[in-house]
Amino acid sequence: MAEALIGLGGNVGDVRDTLDRAVAAFCDGAAVRLLARSADYETPPWGGTDQPAFVNLCLKVATELSPRDLLKRALAVEASLGRDRASGRRWGPRPVDIDILAYGDVVLDEPDLHLPHPRMTDRAFVLVPLAEIAPDWVVGGVRVADRAARIDTVGVVRLPDRP
């Protein structure tokens, strides 16, 4: 079993409900076991700013799947919840987005899979929830908590817990 970090977000529809469903579908308890889930955070849109705010969260999971199979699972869950990557604009509105942020110490640079995620350390919407559940995870020689402490977090707001 390997440990992996996963980022989820969305900004179309009942986002928190969609994210709850995505977590349940992604983490089946067998091939992917949930170890920790961050709080939900409202975050400003990144990339294209002409869209609603996002809700983001991060997961720490244990998995027997390879990085490639974990990606296939993420894409299948996205599609099952209404994400159409082929017709959506990059960094545009979406019901759900699931990114593999890190997979153990694996470093990959393939056309559709880069590990660790190449932009995760530049994004408060990733680092803030990630620091909540994996503060000591090291990316590029620096702890996630240290990276989160140095990033601009304006507009990143922890949402109240839901029952």
Side-chain angles (χ1 to χ4, degrees), residues 115-131:
L115 294 172
H117 191 290
R119 292 172 297 282
M120 69 181 278
T121 59
D122 302 329
R123 297 174 172 174
F125 67 82
V126 171
L127 290 175
V128 171
L130 197 54

Side-chain angles (χ1 to χ4, degrees), residues 7 9 71-72 74-79 82-100 112 117 119:
L71 176 62
K72 287 178 188 173
L75 296 175
V77 170
E78 285 182 358
R83 172 95 190 258
D84 181 2
R85 283 183 173 260
S87 66
R89 84 173 194 226
R90 186 174 176 137
W91 298 316
R94 65 201 80 159
V96 64
D97 180 49
I98 304 174
D99 289 324
I100 303 172
D112 60 345
H117 191 290
R119 292 172 297 282

